[in-house]
Amino acid sequence: MVDVRYDIAFKLYPYAKHPDQDRPAIRHPVVIVGGGPIGMAAALDLGRKGTPVLVLDDHEGVGQGSRAICFAKRTLEIADRLGAGQAMVDKGVVWNVGKVFHGDDQVFEFNLQPEAGHKMPAFINLQQPYFEKYLVDEIRVAQAEGAPIEIRGQNLVTGLTQKDDHVVLDVDTPDGSYQIEADWMIACDGARSPVRDMMGLSFDGRVFEDNFLIADVKMKADFPTERWFWFEPSFKNSGQSALLHKQPDDIWRIDFQLGWDIDRKAELEPAKIRERVDAMLGGDVDYELEWTSIYTFQCRRMKEFRHGNVLFAGDAAHQVSPFGARGANSGLQDTDNLAWKLDLVLRGLAPESLLDTYSAERVHGADENILNSTRATDFLTPKSEISKVFRNAVLDLAREHAFARPMVNSGRLSVPCVYDEQPLNGPDMLDGPDRSRVGASCVDARLDNGFLLDILPGNFTVLAINTPVPTLPEIEGLKLDVVSLETGKNDPHSDLKSRYLGQQERAVYLIRPDQHVAARWTDFDMDAVAGAVATAIGKGA
């Protein structure tokens, strides 16, 4: 019998008995274990590419509670390519400005997107149940258009056996157990990943000795739509730090740092939570407690994200502290990296070793996130008196001196990972802007009739700026798309020039399906492009 571990916010895929439950194990090309934002994004991406995919989730929908709320620009761009991004932005609370306080005094403020020319905002705040729902809504649209995606709710994976060329899964349901097989399996089953435990794989890292209380509060308030963070706030029983953020539906996220040695049950008593919230907001503010939880900072990852024909993504592969919004955002970058590679392998267009580069590139991304999260945690929670003196000296300097502000770390907020010096990278033969170098994700830009990322079709693409490109033959079995633009015609705000040309008059970019730059040159050369494509799909010398 499948246990119901949490209440459902949206019942999106109710259990229904499937014919597979009454017949010998059926082989599926891809099985995803665990829904959530990572599993559903992977399913949508693969399904839209035409790869059959089955999602098994142990519940019938999205759990209650805001959980992840900060979704970054790159995540929204990925969701937009999949068809769900605009619904998220329309529902979400858009914000770019953050303020940092020490006690009652404002230290400084920052703007995460000071330049114009991007379709998506720097960040939105959106409760995770909505984020997941919009992905599932788009899966239903894709299914109606013929995408081979299936979701089975209340299908709990209880056992796993790896064979040479597939995986056998034991699945429990309300009508009993059955088996299925998968050529490839993606584990998106969270930080406590049962799949990882079944395979006896380690999840190493650091657990920080501190606890944080989350309180989702429903209220009408005049606070601006900004991220407010306090070091050593003056309001009573607030701990070493506090955070205030607005969400949709008049919900506000409040975080309090509680310390390590606490009575978790007592701290979650509504009366005690209200004492803290009242001290922050004032006793005359009318509000309701919507959802509360306590979490501990942890920064951990698996050694490798590929284990034979089992691939790990999201929190199942890596876990970081919530400050900095690097959890779900990095998980979406996992699926963005993995889906096109797995699709090419299944179609016989790339070797299986291409999937090793999924692990290499995303381990690189995870290490970057863990480094930033660890630094943030050490700044938030000084481990010695001298560390606290240093932290407070930095805060004092930052009030008046801009040079000190980058040292203030209230959670370095998520930015796209750049795959520097990775094996799929081709040549960088353009002395162009650093932000669009090989390995970087494409920067959006305003065009005469829209935005650049909207016209990058999600396949391997040659982007030619101010230079002609002939009709391209298939390369390594792939049909490449060509996007030709002219700055004099298509670049009314000079975004292309500043973000892709710099001081150069022309440029040719090879862009991967996940919109990362694979190679770039000053002029088009067929042999160079063909070589870079081969490298980018794992067939390079």
Side-chain angles (χ1 to χ4, degrees):
M1 189 65 180
V2 181
D3 292 331
V4 177
R5 294 181 292 110
Y6 50 76
D7 294 330
I8 298 296
F10 300 113
K11 191 172 184 177
L12 301 175
Y13 30 90
Y15 172 75
K17 188 173 181 179
H18 193 277
D20 281 3
Q21 294 173 230
D22 294 321
R23 56 194 182 197
I26 301 297
R27 181 80 66 94
H28 296 265
V30 180
V31 172
I32 297 173
V33 178
I38 312 309
M40 292 306 176
L44 181 55
D45 205 347
L46 286 164
R48 285 221 179 271
K49 296 178 190 303
T51 296
V53 56
L54 168 64
V55 181
L56 302 177
D57 194 82
D58 60 350
H59 284 69
E60 295 182 298
V62 181
Q64 291 183 352
S66 61
R67 292 167 289 158
I69 64 165
C70 292
F71 294 98
K73 177 176 175 289
R74 183 64 197 141
T75 295
L76 297 172
E77 290 167 350
I78 294 168
D80 200 42
R81 177 173 58 79
L82 298 176
Q86 194 58 52
M88 295 172 180
V89 173
D90 290 345
K91 179 65 177 179
V93 173
V94 175
W95 67 277
N96 296 317
V97 174
K99 292 179 179 176
V100 176
F101 301 86
H102 189 197
D104 291 327
D105 299 328
Q106 181 174 322
V107 178
F108 69 97
E109 67 178 65
F110 55 88
N111 189 334
L112 292 167
Q113 189 154 290
E115 67 175 6
H118 299 263
K119 179 180 178 181
M120 290 294 161
F123 272 88
I124 65 167
N125 285 351
L126 180 71
Q127 295 94 323
Q128 185 173 327
Y130 284 120
F131 190 92
E132 293 183 36
K133 180 182 183 299
Y134 294 139
L135 287 171
V136 175
D137 288 348
E138 193 58 30
I139 285 175
R140 300 308 183 199
V141 172
Q143 288 172 325
E145 295 170 348
I149 307 170
E150 183 184 356
I151 307 172
R152 298 183 192 174
Q154 279 202 288
N155 275 239
L156 171 67
V157 173
T158 58
L160 179 152
T161 304
Q162 280 189 286
K163 304 291 186 181
D164 289 340
D165 63 348
H166 67 282
V167 180
V168 180
L169 299 176
D170 300 314
V171 185
D172 195 16
T173 76
D175 289 311
S177 60
Y178 70 108
Q179 285 190 328
I180 59 172
E181 297 178 352
D183 293 327
W184 296 92
M185 195 196 84
I186 307 175
C188 302
D189 54 342
R192 294 184 176 88
S193 176
V195 169
R196 193 179 61 231
D197 290 343
M198 291 175 202
M199 296 178 66
L201 299 172
S202 64
F203 197 47
D204 299 324
R206 181 177 172 190
V207 178
F208 294 86
E209 294 188 357
D210 222 324
N211 292 287
F212 291 78
L213 170 70
I214 295 174
D216 276 355
V217 171
K218 186 175 182 66
M219 64 178 177
K220 300 284 188 180
D222 295 328
F223 301 122
T225 305
E226 299 170 346
R227 180 187 192 263
W228 287 6
F229 187 93
W230 287 265
F231 290 97
E232 298 182 318
S234 61
F235 24 92
K236 184 180 178 182
N237 293 327
S238 57
Q240 292 187 51
S241 67
L243 177 69
L244 178 68
H245 248 201
K246 186 178 182 179
Q247 305 175 62
D249 304 329
D250 294 320
I251 305 295
W252 294 78
R253 161 70 65 84
I254 302 174
D255 289 53
F256 295 106
Q257 185 177 352
L258 302 182
W260 180 241
D261 188 17
I262 65 168
D263 182 335
R264 294 172 71 94
K265 183 177 179 181
E267 292 293 350
L268 285 170
E269 287 292 332
K272 187 147 190 180
I273 294 172
R274 283 187 170 276
E275 284 182 12
R276 298 183 190 279
V277 175
D278 288 347
M280 173 190 251
L281 302 178
D284 58 343
V285 176
D286 186 28
Y287 64 87
E288 299 174 13
L289 292 177
E290 286 282 309
W291 179 73
T292 58
S293 182
I294 290 176
Y295 63 87
T296 301
F297 274 7
Q298 301 185 48
C299 290
R300 303 188 292 178
R301 72 161 171 87
M302 301 177 69
K303 184 177 180 181
E304 297 175 339
F305 297 172
R306 179 191 174 190
H307 291 266
N309 41 15
V310 178
L311 303 140
F312 290 82
D315 284 354
H318 48 80
Q319 185 179 11
V320 292
S321 57
F323 283 108
R326 293 173 178 270
N329 287 299
S330 62
L332 263 288
Q333 291 181 57
D334 290 349
T335 67
D336 197 40
N337 186 292
L338 175 59
W340 69 269
K341 295 175 179 178
L342 184 54
D343 174 66
L344 291 184
V345 169
L346 282 163
R347 289 197 281 143
L349 296 173
E352 287 189 9
S353 58
L354 180 63
L355 297 173
D356 293 331
T357 71
Y358 160 69
S359 181
E361 290 183 339
R362 294 311 302 154
V363 163
H364 171 73
D367 284 346
E368 180 179 284
N369 284 322
I370 288 171
L371 175 63
N372 280 284
S373 291
T374 300
R375 286 174 173 171
T377 306
D378 287 339
F379 196 85
L380 290 171
T381 59
K383 304 304 184 291
S384 67
E385 189 60 33
I386 192 64
S387 295
K388 185 175 180 179
V389 169
F390 170 78
R391 195 273 308 273
N392 290 345
V394 169
L395 292 171
D396 289 340
L397 278 171
R399 284 187 176 90
E400 303 294 337
H401 302 287
F403 79 87
R405 290 167 190 167
M407 292 187 281
V408 175
N409 197 335
S410 62
R412 293 274 188 271
L413 290 159
S414 176
V415 295
C417 177
V418 179
Y419 300 134
D420 286 322
E421 299 180 0
Q422 294 298 311
L424 300 187
N425 290 353
D428 192 340
M429 305 299 291
L430 180 77
D431 186 15
D434 185 67
R435 67 195 298 188
S436 54
R437 68 188 183 271
V438 171
S441 60
C442 287
V443 185
D444 207 0
R446 292 167 293 188
L447 304 178
D448 58 314
N449 59 351
F451 289 88
L452 176 62
L453 296 188
D454 282 344
I455 62 171
L456 298 181
N459 306 312
F460 273 96
T461 301
V462 172
L463 171 63
I465 305 173
N466 296 340
T467 189
V469 173
T471 301
L472 299 180
E474 284 192 353
I475 299 176
E476 302 291 345
L478 298 172
K479 182 183 182 301
L480 272 64
D481 290 290
V482 176
V483 173
S484 294
L485 298 171
E486 299 176 16
T487 53
K489 178 181 177 183
N490 307 115
D491 192 24
H493 304 282
S494 297
D495 291 349
L496 279 178
K497 178 173 175 52
S498 64
R499 298 170 193 180
Y500 286 88
L501 293 180
Q503 301 303 311
Q504 306 304 311
E505 294 182 358
R506 60 192 180 275
V508 175
Y509 283 76
L510 176 65
I511 298 169
R512 304 186 336 183
D514 58 2
Q515 297 179 341
H516 279 256
V517 176
R520 62 180 184 174
W521 308 267
T522 303
D523 296 290
F524 178 81
D525 180 277
M526 188 69 238
D527 290 339
V529 170
V533 170
T535 296
I537 63 172
K539 292 183 176 180

